[in-house]
């Protein structure tokens, strides 16, 4: 009986695996079509400075306008894009589109684009970034790429080379979600980052957790001495904003200042 039970469980398991794989395939096919039919859109969330809360630029965040399912958020399709290799098409689209739109914004406002670790490891990355800049005519210093710590974990020399090549193009580099991964403060000395974005989980916990506040202090203190700009992400209230400003954050992003919006509706002043 035990054996039969085991086999039933196994069959049940394989059936579920099959259904999951099929759901994935449906999403994969839909996503392939989404790229070619323009269902992927970039929304822009303002980033403000600590002087007069002027908007210095925007982070481009992808949304999938699915014809039946409505708006799908990145966490529900980026992982599938990464598993299927579609992230390279999707990522190139984000770079070209963000540069094209930012080129029409006034003044020196910058645009920040998220890079998947797979894009970062691709030998095509530099050519894609260069192509996006060239086609849009956007000044390179107005483009910022955001990478997460996870890309820095392995083959260090190669990573440094990619970062140097990006810098050589004139683009800025931000370290995203700082504090969540295997944060090592030594990264910050060996890599040429322009900016560190403190993960929103620390901002969220700051008022109740001494540990979260201590980490924010450690990051701002260190970046002051290394002369790196600090962005606080996920700022939702004026209290958080004032506290973070006092702690030495220089840039701010969060619902308090504005939500991600299509380029034509984006917040122009705060
Ligand atoms: P991220 O790069 O850390 O982006 C910040 C996320 O925090 C965004 O979520 C944004 O909408 C959200 N956010 C901003 N302010 C607040 C706030 O005050 N409160 C709260 N609760 N959330 C806030 P979103 O748009 O869902 O994107 C999630 C993640 O998906 C991004 O995290 C990024 O890692 C990834 N992603 C988005 N667009 C792209 C893309 O074009 N390419 C790649 N590779 N990844 C992307
Ligand atoms: Mg980001
Ligand atoms: Mg982030
Ligand atoms: Mg984040």
């Amino acid at each position: 009986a035990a054996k039969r039970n085991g086999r039933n469980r196994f069959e049940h398991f394989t059936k579920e695996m099959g259904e999951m794989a099929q759901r994935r395939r449906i999403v994969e096919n839909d996503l392939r079509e989404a790229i070619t039919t323009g269902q992927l859109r970039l929304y822009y969330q303002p980033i403000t400075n600590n002087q007069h809360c002027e908007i210095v630029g925007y982070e481009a965040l992808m949304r999938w306008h699915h014809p039946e399912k409505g708006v799908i958020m990145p966490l529900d399709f980026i992982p599938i894009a990464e598993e299927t290799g579609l992230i390279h098409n999707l990522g190139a689209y984000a770079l070209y589109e963000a540069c094209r739109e930012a080129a029409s914004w006034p003044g020196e406002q910058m645009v920040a684009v998220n890079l998947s670790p797979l894009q970062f490891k691709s030998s095509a990355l530099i050519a894609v970034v260069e192509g996006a800049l060239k086609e849009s005519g956007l000044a390179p210093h107005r483009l910022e790429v955001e990478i997460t710590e996870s890309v820095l974990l392995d083959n260090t020399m190669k990573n440094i080379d990619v970062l140097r090549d990006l810098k050589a193009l004139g683009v800025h580099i931000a370290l995203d979600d700082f504090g969540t991964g295997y944060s090592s403060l030594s990264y910050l000395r060996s890599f040429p980052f322009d900016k560190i974005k403190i993960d929103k989980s620390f901002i969220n916990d700051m008022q109740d957790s001494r540990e979260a506040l201590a980490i924010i202090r450690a990051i701002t203190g260190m970046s002051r001495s290394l002369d790196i700009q600090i962005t606080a992400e996920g700022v939702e209230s004026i209290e958080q904003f004032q506290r973070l400003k006092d702690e030495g954050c220089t840039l701010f992003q969060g619902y308090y200042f504005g939500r991600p919006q299509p380029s034509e509706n984006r917040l122009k002043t705060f």
Side-chain angles (χ1 to χ4, degrees):
K3 221 175 200 168
R4 255 187 59 191
N5 245 334
R7 192 166 65 219
N8 282 345
R9 229 178 293 134
F10 180 72
E11 279 165 6
H12 182 69
F13 177 72
T14 48
K15 186 162 167 264
E16 273 193 354
M17 288 292 285
E19 283 167 2
M20 215 157 81
Q22 197 184 343
R23 269 199 298 277
R24 286 256 137 151
R25 265 194 306 276
I26 293 172
V27 177
E28 181 183 348
N29 287 335
D30 279 10
L31 193 51
R32 218 176 274 286
E33 191 173 309
I35 296 168
T36 53
T37 59
Q39 294 167 23
L40 297 178
R41 311 265 172 81
L42 292 177
Y43 280 36
Y44 297 90
Q45 185 177 33
I47 299 168
T48 62
N49 67 15
N50 57 357
Q51 304 300 312
H52 310 283
C53 293
E54 280 162 338
I55 296 176
V56 296
Y58 300 83
E59 178 174 6
L61 295 158
M62 199 172 280
R63 302 288 181 262
W64 177 2
H65 286 242
H66 192 286
E68 284 117 41
K69 296 179 189 147
V71 178
I72 305 179
M73 301 300 280
L75 295 183
D76 295 320
F77 65 90
I78 299 279
I80 297 171
E82 288 175 333
E83 280 169 34
T84 54
L86 288 170
I87 191 70
H88 297 287
N89 311 43
L90 195 147
Y93 163 77
L95 281 163
Y96 273 80
E97 179 68 4
C99 288
R100 190 185 66 77
E101 295 202 280
S104 72
W105 298 344
E108 287 290 293
Q109 286 181 337
M110 61 90 185
V111 68
V113 180
N114 292 285
L115 289 190
S116 158
L118 293 174
Q119 276 177 284
F120 188 81
K121 292 188 188 314
S122 153
S123 57
L125 176 68
I126 299 302
V128 172
V129 172
E130 218 174 354
L133 291 170
K134 208 169 260 169
E135 194 172 293
S136 61
L138 186 74
H141 69 270
R142 292 180 60 199
L143 174 63
E144 183 162 280
V145 292
E146 296 192 357
I147 60 169
T148 53
E149 293 157 283
S150 62
V151 311
L152 304 177
L153 287 178
D154 60 331
N155 61 56
T156 306
M157 272 322 281
K158 192 156 173 290
N159 289 335
I160 293 184
D161 285 346
V162 176
L163 291 170
R164 294 235 165 92
D165 289 347
L166 285 168
K167 294 244 58 163
L169 292 178
V171 307
H172 288 176
I173 304 170
L175 192 52
D176 204 358
D177 302 341
F178 193 74
T180 54
Y182 302 83
S183 304
S184 158
L185 302 186
S186 65
Y187 289 153
L188 304 176
R189 266 181 37 156
S190 22
F191 296 101
F193 296 111
D194 298 287
K195 204 176 278 177
I196 294 169
K197 301 185 78 169
I198 304 178
D199 190 71
K200 59 177 179 295
S201 59
F202 298 105
I203 315 302
N204 188 53
D205 296 347
M206 175 175 77
Q207 280 141 319
D208 309 312
S209 154
R210 292 164 60 96
E211 289 79 15
L213 188 60
I215 290 170
I216 292 172
R217 281 203 179 133
I219 300 172
T220 51
M222 177 193 55
S223 61
R224 238 191 319 274
S225 57
L226 292 172
D227 204 22
I228 301 175
Q229 294 234 68
I230 294 290
T231 308
E233 9 170 84
V235 182
E236 296 186 352
S237 68
I238 189 166
E239 291 80 16
Q240 288 173 335
F241 163 61
Q242 267 156 358
R243 188 63 193 265
L244 289 160
K245 196 164 127 171
D246 292 343
E247 294 297 340
C249 292
T250 49
L251 296 165
F252 307 88
Q253 181 180 353
Y255 296 165
Y256 175 63
F257 298 97
R259 293 192 179 238
Q261 297 282 339
S263 179
E264 64 274 18
N265 305 343
R266 76 190 193 285
L267 214 55
K268 299 200 171 83
T269 54
F270 173 73

